[in-house]
Amino acid sequence: QVYLVESGGGSVQAGGSLRLSCVASIGNSDVYCMGWFRQAPGKEREGLALIDRQDSSTTYADSVTGRFSISQVIANNTLFLEMNSLNPEDTAMYYCAAHSQRGGCSAGVPKIPRFGFRGQGTQVTVLA
């Protein structure tokens, strides 16, 4: 079993930045890919960014390319999402997710919300 705990959300003015963190308790499980997705009220879940745990290769959704950056510290089982140039449309609950199958990142960014494990989320609110 994989347990994920997000932190770092909050309220920020438009144009500001936030850094989200996700600590993973992996135990004896294998995790090959991790990512972030979000869900705003009344909207579909949206995959944002993923990272391969073995080679740290990354992929982003078009909506966040150039503004968000995903990274990881394997030794600490910690995942980050650096978010810059935030706008009110970025307001949502943000979740980290983990995929336990080899090659999981090949599923692509849109599939992140369907990864096998996810955390409870952290709220991000961007004020106009």
mmCIF file with all atom_site columns, all heavy atoms in Angstrom, residues 42-66:
data_model
loop_
_atom_site.group_PDB
_atom_site.id
_atom_site.type_symbol
_atom_site.label_atom_id
_atom_site.label_alt_id
_atom_site.label_comp_id
_atom_site.label_asym_id
_atom_site.label_entity_id
_atom_site.label_seq_id
_atom_site.pdbx_PDB_ins_code
_atom_site.Cartn_x
_atom_site.Cartn_y
_atom_site.Cartn_z
_atom_site.occupancy
_atom_site.B_iso_or_equiv
_atom_site.pdbx_formal_charge
_atom_site.auth_seq_id
_atom_site.auth_comp_id
_atom_site.auth_asym_id
_atom_site.auth_atom_id
_atom_site.pdbx_PDB_model_num
ATOM 1   N N   . GLY A 1 42 ? -17.126 21.686 -9.657  1.00 0.00 ? 42 GLY A N   1
ATOM 2   C CA  . GLY A 1 42 ? -17.922 21.616 -10.861 1.00 0.00 ? 42 GLY A CA  1
ATOM 3   C C   . GLY A 1 42 ? -17.154 21.277 -12.122 1.00 0.00 ? 42 GLY A C   1
ATOM 4   O O   . GLY A 1 42 ? -17.715 21.295 -13.221 1.00 0.00 ? 42 GLY A O   1
ATOM 5   N N   . LYS A 1 43 ? -15.858 20.964 -11.980 1.00 0.00 ? 43 LYS A N   1
ATOM 6   C CA  . LYS A 1 43 ? -15.040 20.663 -13.157 1.00 0.00 ? 43 LYS A CA  1
ATOM 7   C C   . LYS A 1 43 ? -14.479 19.249 -13.076 1.00 0.00 ? 43 LYS A C   1
ATOM 8   O O   . LYS A 1 43 ? -14.405 18.652 -12.000 1.00 0.00 ? 43 LYS A O   1
ATOM 9   C CB  . LYS A 1 43 ? -13.913 21.681 -13.283 1.00 0.00 ? 43 LYS A CB  1
ATOM 10  C CG  . LYS A 1 43 ? -14.391 23.089 -13.588 1.00 0.00 ? 43 LYS A CG  1
ATOM 11  C CD  . LYS A 1 43 ? -13.210 24.005 -13.912 1.00 0.00 ? 43 LYS A CD  1
ATOM 12  C CE  . LYS A 1 43 ? -13.695 25.388 -14.299 1.00 0.00 ? 43 LYS A CE  1
ATOM 13  N NZ  . LYS A 1 43 ? -12.549 26.293 -14.641 1.00 0.00 ? 43 LYS A NZ  1
ATOM 14  N N   . GLU A 1 44 ? -14.053 18.759 -14.221 1.00 0.00 ? 44 GLU A N   1
ATOM 15  C CA  . GLU A 1 44 ? -13.416 17.444 -14.271 1.00 0.00 ? 44 GLU A CA  1
ATOM 16  C C   . GLU A 1 44 ? -12.015 17.506 -13.646 1.00 0.00 ? 44 GLU A C   1
ATOM 17  O O   . GLU A 1 44 ? -11.387 18.568 -13.612 1.00 0.00 ? 44 GLU A O   1
ATOM 18  C CB  . GLU A 1 44 ? -13.299 16.979 -15.719 1.00 0.00 ? 44 GLU A CB  1
ATOM 19  C CG  . GLU A 1 44 ? -14.617 16.772 -16.439 1.00 0.00 ? 44 GLU A CG  1
ATOM 20  C CD  . GLU A 1 44 ? -15.359 15.564 -15.911 1.00 0.00 ? 44 GLU A CD  1
ATOM 21  O OE1 . GLU A 1 44 ? -14.683 14.555 -15.610 1.00 0.00 ? 44 GLU A OE1 1
ATOM 22  O OE2 . GLU A 1 44 ? -16.589 15.617 -15.787 1.00 0.00 ? 44 GLU A OE2 1
ATOM 23  N N   . ARG A 1 45 ? -11.558 16.360 -13.171 1.00 0.00 ? 45 ARG A N   1
ATOM 24  C CA  . ARG A 1 45 ? -10.181 16.278 -12.704 1.00 0.00 ? 45 ARG A CA  1
ATOM 25  C C   . ARG A 1 45 ? -9.225  16.496 -13.875 1.00 0.00 ? 45 ARG A C   1
ATOM 26  O O   . ARG A 1 45 ? -9.483  16.027 -14.989 1.00 0.00 ? 45 ARG A O   1
ATOM 27  C CB  . ARG A 1 45 ? -9.928  14.918 -12.054 1.00 0.00 ? 45 ARG A CB  1
ATOM 28  C CG  . ARG A 1 45 ? -10.757 14.697 -10.796 1.00 0.00 ? 45 ARG A CG  1
ATOM 29  C CD  . ARG A 1 45 ? -10.540 13.318 -10.229 1.00 0.00 ? 45 ARG A CD  1
ATOM 30  N NE  . ARG A 1 45 ? -10.987 12.277 -11.143 1.00 0.00 ? 45 ARG A NE  1
ATOM 31  C CZ  . ARG A 1 45 ? -10.853 10.981 -10.914 1.00 0.00 ? 45 ARG A CZ  1
ATOM 32  N NH1 . ARG A 1 45 ? -10.261 10.557 -9.797  1.00 0.00 ? 45 ARG A NH1 1
ATOM 33  N NH2 . ARG A 1 45 ? -11.291 10.099 -11.776 1.00 0.00 ? 45 ARG A NH2 1
ATOM 34  N N   . GLU A 1 46 ? -8.157  17.221 -13.608 1.00 0.00 ? 46 GLU A N   1
ATOM 35  C CA  . GLU A 1 46 ? -7.208  17.591 -14.655 1.00 0.00 ? 46 GLU A CA  1
ATOM 36  C C   . GLU A 1 46 ? -5.798  17.158 -14.270 1.00 0.00 ? 46 GLU A C   1
ATOM 37  O O   . GLU A 1 46 ? -5.256  17.641 -13.266 1.00 0.00 ? 46 GLU A O   1
ATOM 38  C CB  . GLU A 1 46 ? -7.239  19.105 -14.881 1.00 0.00 ? 46 GLU A CB  1
ATOM 39  C CG  . GLU A 1 46 ? -6.251  19.583 -15.936 1.00 0.00 ? 46 GLU A CG  1
ATOM 40  C CD  . GLU A 1 46 ? -6.145  21.101 -16.019 1.00 0.00 ? 46 GLU A CD  1
ATOM 41  O OE1 . GLU A 1 46 ? -6.647  21.789 -15.094 1.00 0.00 ? 46 GLU A OE1 1
ATOM 42  O OE2 . GLU A 1 46 ? -5.557  21.607 -16.998 1.00 0.00 ? 46 GLU A OE2 1
ATOM 43  N N   . GLY A 1 47 ? -5.199  16.280 -15.045 1.00 0.00 ? 47 GLY A N   1
ATOM 44  C CA  . GLY A 1 47 ? -3.811  15.911 -14.841 1.00 0.00 ? 47 GLY A CA  1
ATOM 45  C C   . GLY A 1 47 ? -2.912  17.088 -15.161 1.00 0.00 ? 47 GLY A C   1
ATOM 46  O O   . GLY A 1 47 ? -3.148  17.804 -16.154 1.00 0.00 ? 47 GLY A O   1
ATOM 47  N N   . LEU A 1 48 ? -1.880  17.296 -14.350 1.00 0.00 ? 48 LEU A N   1
ATOM 48  C CA  . LEU A 1 48 ? -1.021  18.470 -14.513 1.00 0.00 ? 48 LEU A CA  1
ATOM 49  C C   . LEU A 1 48 ? 0.407   18.115 -14.923 1.00 0.00 ? 48 LEU A C   1
ATOM 50  O O   . LEU A 1 48 ? 0.941   18.691 -15.858 1.00 0.00 ? 48 LEU A O   1
ATOM 51  C CB  . LEU A 1 48 ? -0.979  19.258 -13.215 1.00 0.00 ? 48 LEU A CB  1
ATOM 52  C CG  . LEU A 1 48 ? -2.320  19.772 -12.690 1.00 0.00 ? 48 LEU A CG  1
ATOM 53  C CD1 . LEU A 1 48 ? -2.124  20.399 -11.321 1.00 0.00 ? 48 LEU A CD1 1
ATOM 54  C CD2 . LEU A 1 48 ? -2.947  20.737 -13.670 1.00 0.00 ? 48 LEU A CD2 1
ATOM 55  N N   . ALA A 1 49 ? 1.033   17.216 -14.188 1.00 0.00 ? 49 ALA A N   1
ATOM 56  C CA  . ALA A 1 49 ? 2.443   16.932 -14.431 1.00 0.00 ? 49 ALA A CA  1
ATOM 57  C C   . ALA A 1 49 ? 2.784   15.568 -13.856 1.00 0.00 ? 49 ALA A C   1
ATOM 58  O O   . ALA A 1 49 ? 2.231   15.167 -12.826 1.00 0.00 ? 49 ALA A O   1
ATOM 59  C CB  . ALA A 1 49 ? 3.327   17.996 -13.774 1.00 0.00 ? 49 ALA A CB  1
ATOM 60  N N   . LEU A 1 50 ? 3.689   14.875 -14.531 1.00 0.00 ? 50 LEU A N   1
ATOM 61  C CA  . LEU A 1 50 ? 4.141   13.600 -14.002 1.00 0.00 ? 50 LEU A CA  1
ATOM 62  C C   . LEU A 1 50 ? 5.656   13.501 -14.103 1.00 0.00 ? 50 LEU A C   1
ATOM 63  O O   . LEU A 1 50 ? 6.290   14.225 -14.876 1.00 0.00 ? 50 LEU A O   1
ATOM 64  C CB  . LEU A 1 50 ? 3.459   12.428 -14.699 1.00 0.00 ? 50 LEU A CB  1
ATOM 65  C CG  . LEU A 1 50 ? 3.527   12.289 -16.220 1.00 0.00 ? 50 LEU A CG  1
ATOM 66  C CD1 . LEU A 1 50 ? 4.867   11.761 -16.680 1.00 0.00 ? 50 LEU A CD1 1
ATOM 67  C CD2 . LEU A 1 50 ? 2.423   11.343 -16.698 1.00 0.00 ? 50 LEU A CD2 1
ATOM 68  N N   . ILE A 1 51 ? 6.209   12.598 -13.280 1.00 0.00 ? 51 ILE A N   1
ATOM 69  C CA  . ILE A 1 51 ? 7.649   12.402 -13.239 1.00 0.00 ? 51 ILE A CA  1
ATOM 70  C C   . ILE A 1 51 ? 7.952   10.930 -13.062 1.00 0.00 ? 51 ILE A C   1
ATOM 71  O O   . ILE A 1 51 ? 7.312   10.235 -12.260 1.00 0.00 ? 51 ILE A O   1
ATOM 72  C CB  . ILE A 1 51 ? 8.288   13.257 -12.110 1.00 0.00 ? 51 ILE A CB  1
ATOM 73  C CG1 . ILE A 1 51 ? 9.807   13.193 -12.173 1.00 0.00 ? 51 ILE A CG1 1
ATOM 74  C CG2 . ILE A 1 51 ? 7.779   12.830 -10.736 1.00 0.00 ? 51 ILE A CG2 1
ATOM 75  C CD1 . ILE A 1 51 ? 10.479  14.282 -11.311 1.00 0.00 ? 51 ILE A CD1 1
ATOM 76  N N   . ASP A 1 52 ? 8.886   10.459 -13.848 1.00 0.00 ? 52 ASP A N   1
ATOM 77  C CA  . ASP A 1 52 ? 9.330   9.071  -13.764 1.00 0.00 ? 52 ASP A CA  1
ATOM 78  C C   . ASP A 1 52 ? 10.283  8.947  -12.570 1.00 0.00 ? 52 ASP A C   1
ATOM 79  O O   . ASP A 1 52 ? 11.257  9.696  -12.483 1.00 0.00 ? 52 ASP A O   1
ATOM 80  C CB  . ASP A 1 52 ? 10.035  8.678  -15.064 1.00 0.00 ? 52 ASP A CB  1
ATOM 81  C CG  . ASP A 1 52 ? 10.378  7.201  -15.115 1.00 0.00 ? 52 ASP A CG  1
ATOM 82  O OD1 . ASP A 1 52 ? 11.171  6.745  -14.259 1.00 0.00 ? 52 ASP A OD1 1
ATOM 83  O OD2 . ASP A 1 52 ? 9.861   6.500  -15.996 1.00 0.00 ? 52 ASP A OD2 1
ATOM 84  N N   . ARG A 1 53 ? 10.003  8.026  -11.673 1.00 0.00 ? 53 ARG A N   1
ATOM 85  C CA  . ARG A 1 53 ? 10.833  7.908  -10.475 1.00 0.00 ? 53 ARG A CA  1
ATOM 86  C C   . ARG A 1 53 ? 12.229  7.394  -10.777 1.00 0.00 ? 53 ARG A C   1
ATOM 87  O O   . ARG A 1 53 ? 13.150  7.612  -10.004 1.00 0.00 ? 53 ARG A O   1
ATOM 88  C CB  . ARG A 1 53 ? 10.167  7.013  -9.434  1.00 0.00 ? 53 ARG A CB  1
ATOM 89  C CG  . ARG A 1 53 ? 9.158   7.766  -8.593  1.00 0.00 ? 53 ARG A CG  1
ATOM 90  C CD  . ARG A 1 53 ? 8.481   6.886  -7.589  1.00 0.00 ? 53 ARG A CD  1
ATOM 91  N NE  . ARG A 1 53 ? 9.387   6.180  -6.695  1.00 0.00 ? 53 ARG A NE  1
ATOM 92  C CZ  . ARG A 1 53 ? 9.797   6.659  -5.529  1.00 0.00 ? 53 ARG A CZ  1
ATOM 93  N NH1 . ARG A 1 53 ? 9.433   7.855  -5.137  1.00 0.00 ? 53 ARG A NH1 1
ATOM 94  N NH2 . ARG A 1 53 ? 10.589  5.932  -4.745  1.00 0.00 ? 53 ARG A NH2 1
ATOM 95  N N   . GLN A 1 54 ? 12.423  6.737  -11.902 1.00 0.00 ? 54 GLN A N   1
ATOM 96  C CA  . GLN A 1 54 ? 13.733  6.164  -12.202 1.00 0.00 ? 54 GLN A CA  1
ATOM 97  C C   . GLN A 1 54 ? 14.647  7.144  -12.918 1.00 0.00 ? 54 GLN A C   1
ATOM 98  O O   . GLN A 1 54 ? 15.823  7.246  -12.578 1.00 0.00 ? 54 GLN A O   1
ATOM 99  C CB  . GLN A 1 54 ? 13.566  4.889  -13.034 1.00 0.00 ? 54 GLN A CB  1
ATOM 100 C CG  . GLN A 1 54 ? 12.892  3.771  -12.256 1.00 0.00 ? 54 GLN A CG  1
ATOM 101 C CD  . GLN A 1 54 ? 12.794  2.494  -13.054 1.00 0.00 ? 54 GLN A CD  1
ATOM 102 O OE1 . GLN A 1 54 ? 12.202  2.458  -14.122 1.00 0.00 ? 54 GLN A OE1 1
ATOM 103 N NE2 . GLN A 1 54 ? 13.370  1.415  -12.533 1.00 0.00 ? 54 GLN A NE2 1
ATOM 104 N N   . ASP A 1 55 ? 14.124  7.874  -13.889 1.00 0.00 ? 55 ASP A N   1
ATOM 105 C CA  . ASP A 1 55 ? 15.008  8.775  -14.644 1.00 0.00 ? 55 ASP A CA  1
ATOM 106 C C   . ASP A 1 55 ? 14.633  10.242 -14.504 1.00 0.00 ? 55 ASP A C   1
ATOM 107 O O   . ASP A 1 55 ? 15.250  11.102 -15.115 1.00 0.00 ? 55 ASP A O   1
ATOM 108 C CB  . ASP A 1 55 ? 15.053  8.382  -16.121 1.00 0.00 ? 55 ASP A CB  1
ATOM 109 C CG  . ASP A 1 55 ? 13.700  8.522  -16.819 1.00 0.00 ? 55 ASP A CG  1
ATOM 110 O OD1 . ASP A 1 55 ? 12.796  9.194  -16.272 1.00 0.00 ? 55 ASP A OD1 1
ATOM 111 O OD2 . ASP A 1 55 ? 13.538  7.962  -17.908 1.00 0.00 ? 55 ASP A OD2 1
ATOM 112 N N   . SER A 1 56 ? 13.605  10.531 -13.687 1.00 0.00 ? 56 SER A N   1
ATOM 113 C CA  . SER A 1 56 ? 13.149  11.902 -13.421 1.00 0.00 ? 56 SER A CA  1
ATOM 114 C C   . SER A 1 56 ? 12.687  12.645 -14.665 1.00 0.00 ? 56 SER A C   1
ATOM 115 O O   . SER A 1 56 ? 12.628  13.881 -14.655 1.00 0.00 ? 56 SER A O   1
ATOM 116 C CB  . SER A 1 56 ? 14.241  12.722 -12.715 1.00 0.00 ? 56 SER A CB  1
ATOM 117 O OG  . SER A 1 56 ? 14.501  12.193 -11.428 1.00 0.00 ? 56 SER A OG  1
ATOM 118 N N   . SER A 1 57 ? 12.358  11.932 -15.729 1.00 0.00 ? 57 SER A N   1
ATOM 119 C CA  . SER A 1 57 ? 11.797  12.613 -16.896 1.00 0.00 ? 57 SER A CA  1
ATOM 120 C C   . SER A 1 57 ? 10.410  13.126 -16.542 1.00 0.00 ? 57 SER A C   1
ATOM 121 O O   . SER A 1 57 ? 9.686   12.516 -15.747 1.00 0.00 ? 57 SER A O   1
ATOM 122 C CB  . SER A 1 57 ? 11.735  11.664 -18.088 1.00 0.00 ? 57 SER A CB  1
ATOM 123 O OG  . SER A 1 57 ? 10.973  10.515 -17.766 1.00 0.00 ? 57 SER A OG  1
ATOM 124 N N   . THR A 1 58 ? 10.043  14.261 -17.127 1.00 0.00 ? 58 THR A N   1
ATOM 125 C CA  . THR A 1 58 ? 8.800   14.927 -16.762 1.00 0.00 ? 58 THR A CA  1
ATOM 126 C C   . THR A 1 58 ? 7.937   15.212 -17.991 1.00 0.00 ? 58 THR A C   1
ATOM 127 O O   . THR A 1 58 ? 8.437   15.333 -19.112 1.00 0.00 ? 58 THR A O   1
ATOM 128 C CB  . THR A 1 58 ? 9.082   16.252 -16.046 1.00 0.00 ? 58 THR A CB  1
ATOM 129 O OG1 . THR A 1 58 ? 9.852   17.096 -16.910 1.00 0.00 ? 58 THR A OG1 1
ATOM 130 C CG2 . THR A 1 58 ? 9.849   16.030 -14.747 1.00 0.00 ? 58 THR A CG2 1
ATOM 131 N N   . THR A 1 59 ? 6.652   15.334 -17.757 1.00 0.00 ? 59 THR A N   1
ATOM 132 C CA  . THR A 1 59 ? 5.682   15.705 -18.784 1.00 0.00 ? 59 THR A CA  1
ATOM 133 C C   . THR A 1 59 ? 4.655   16.610 -18.139 1.00 0.00 ? 59 THR A C   1
ATOM 134 O O   . THR A 1 59 ? 4.265   16.385 -16.986 1.00 0.00 ? 59 THR A O   1
ATOM 135 C CB  . THR A 1 59 ? 4.980   14.465 -19.376 1.00 0.00 ? 59 THR A CB  1
ATOM 136 O OG1 . THR A 1 59 ? 5.955   13.506 -19.797 1.00 0.00 ? 59 THR A OG1 1
ATOM 137 C CG2 . THR A 1 59 ? 4.125   14.849 -20.576 1.00 0.00 ? 59 THR A CG2 1
ATOM 138 N N   . TYR A 1 60 ? 4.208   17.612 -18.897 1.00 0.00 ? 60 TYR A N   1
ATOM 139 C CA  . TYR A 1 60 ? 3.271   18.593 -18.361 1.00 0.00 ? 60 TYR A CA  1
ATOM 140 C C   . TYR A 1 60 ? 2.040   18.737 -19.251 1.00 0.00 ? 60 TYR A C   1
ATOM 141 O O   . TYR A 1 60 ? 2.112   18.573 -20.469 1.00 0.00 ? 60 TYR A O   1
ATOM 142 C CB  . TYR A 1 60 ? 3.949   19.959 -18.243 1.00 0.00 ? 60 TYR A CB  1
ATOM 143 C CG  . TYR A 1 60 ? 5.086   19.992 -17.260 1.00 0.00 ? 60 TYR A CG  1
ATOM 144 C CD1 . TYR A 1 60 ? 6.399   19.717 -17.670 1.00 0.00 ? 60 TYR A CD1 1
ATOM 145 C CD2 . TYR A 1 60 ? 4.861   20.285 -15.918 1.00 0.00 ? 60 TYR A CD2 1
ATOM 146 C CE1 . TYR A 1 60 ? 7.445   19.737 -16.763 1.00 0.00 ? 60 TYR A CE1 1
ATOM 147 C CE2 . TYR A 1 60 ? 5.912   20.315 -15.010 1.00 0.00 ? 60 TYR A CE2 1
ATOM 148 C CZ  . TYR A 1 60 ? 7.194   20.033 -15.442 1.00 0.00 ? 60 TYR A CZ  1
ATOM 149 O OH  . TYR A 1 60 ? 8.224   20.060 -14.540 1.00 0.00 ? 60 TYR A OH  1
ATOM 150 N N   . ALA A 1 61 ? 0.946   19.124 -18.617 1.00 0.00 ? 61 ALA A N   1
ATOM 151 C CA  . ALA A 1 61 ? -0.228  19.524 -19.379 1.00 0.00 ? 61 ALA A CA  1
ATOM 152 C C   . ALA A 1 61 ? 0.051   20.883 -20.018 1.00 0.00 ? 61 ALA A C   1
ATOM 153 O O   . ALA A 1 61 ? 0.797   21.702 -19.462 1.00 0.00 ? 61 ALA A O   1
ATOM 154 C CB  . ALA A 1 61 ? -1.443  19.620 -18.459 1.00 0.00 ? 61 ALA A CB  1
ATOM 155 N N   . ASP A 1 62 ? -0.579  21.136 -21.154 1.00 0.00 ? 62 ASP A N   1
ATOM 156 C CA  . ASP A 1 62 ? -0.374  22.410 -21.837 1.00 0.00 ? 62 ASP A CA  1
ATOM 157 C C   . ASP A 1 62 ? -0.742  23.595 -20.943 1.00 0.00 ? 62 ASP A C   1
ATOM 158 O O   . ASP A 1 62 ? -0.114  24.654 -21.013 1.00 0.00 ? 62 ASP A O   1
ATOM 159 C CB  . ASP A 1 62 ? -1.210  22.460 -23.115 1.00 0.00 ? 62 ASP A CB  1
ATOM 160 C CG  . ASP A 1 62 ? -0.677  21.511 -24.180 1.00 0.00 ? 62 ASP A CG  1
ATOM 161 O OD1 . ASP A 1 62 ? 0.477   21.061 -24.066 1.00 0.00 ? 62 ASP A OD1 1
ATOM 162 O OD2 . ASP A 1 62 ? -1.434  21.229 -25.136 1.00 0.00 ? 62 ASP A OD2 1
ATOM 163 N N   . SER A 1 63 ? -1.753  23.399 -20.111 1.00 0.00 ? 63 SER A N   1
ATOM 164 C CA  . SER A 1 63 ? -2.264  24.498 -19.296 1.00 0.00 ? 63 SER A CA  1
ATOM 165 C C   . SER A 1 63 ? -1.264  25.000 -18.258 1.00 0.00 ? 63 SER A C   1
ATOM 166 O O   . SER A 1 63 ? -1.408  26.112 -17.739 1.00 0.00 ? 63 SER A O   1
ATOM 167 C CB  . SER A 1 63 ? -3.561  24.075 -18.598 1.00 0.00 ? 63 SER A CB  1
ATOM 168 O OG  . SER A 1 63 ? -3.325  22.963 -17.742 1.00 0.00 ? 63 SER A OG  1
ATOM 169 N N   . VAL A 1 64 ? -0.258  24.181 -17.924 1.00 0.00 ? 64 VAL A N   1
ATOM 170 C CA  . VAL A 1 64 ? 0.694   24.582 -16.883 1.00 0.00 ? 64 VAL A CA  1
ATOM 171 C C   . VAL A 1 64 ? 2.140   24.616 -17.380 1.00 0.00 ? 64 VAL A C   1
ATOM 172 O O   . VAL A 1 64 ? 3.043   24.988 -16.621 1.00 0.00 ? 64 VAL A O   1
ATOM 173 C CB  . VAL A 1 64 ? 0.592   23.661 -15.654 1.00 0.00 ? 64 VAL A CB  1
ATOM 174 C CG1 . VAL A 1 64 ? -0.827  23.679 -15.103 1.00 0.00 ? 64 VAL A CG1 1
ATOM 175 C CG2 . VAL A 1 64 ? 1.026   22.233 -15.975 1.00 0.00 ? 64 VAL A CG2 1
ATOM 176 N N   . THR A 1 65 ? 2.364   24.239 -18.620 1.00 0.00 ? 65 THR A N   1
ATOM 177 C CA  . THR A 1 65 ? 3.719   24.249 -19.156 1.00 0.00 ? 65 THR A CA  1
ATOM 178 C C   . THR A 1 65 ? 4.314   25.650 -19.074 1.00 0.00 ? 65 THR A C   1
ATOM 179 O O   . THR A 1 65 ? 3.682   26.621 -19.471 1.00 0.00 ? 65 THR A O   1
ATOM 180 C CB  . THR A 1 65 ? 3.717   23.765 -20.617 1.00 0.00 ? 65 THR A CB  1
ATOM 181 O OG1 . THR A 1 65 ? 3.273   22.405 -20.649 1.00 0.00 ? 65 THR A OG1 1
ATOM 182 C CG2 . THR A 1 65 ? 5.103   23.849 -21.227 1.00 0.00 ? 65 THR A CG2 1
ATOM 183 N N   . GLY A 1 66 ? 5.510   25.723 -18.535 1.00 0.00 ? 66 GLY A N   1
ATOM 184 C CA  . GLY A 1 66 ? 6.186   27.000 -18.390 1.00 0.00 ? 66 GLY A CA  1
ATOM 185 C C   . GLY A 1 66 ? 5.878   27.711 -17.083 1.00 0.00 ? 66 GLY A C   1
ATOM 186 O O   . GLY A 1 66 ? 6.572   28.663 -16.723 1.00 0.00 ? 66 GLY A O   1
#
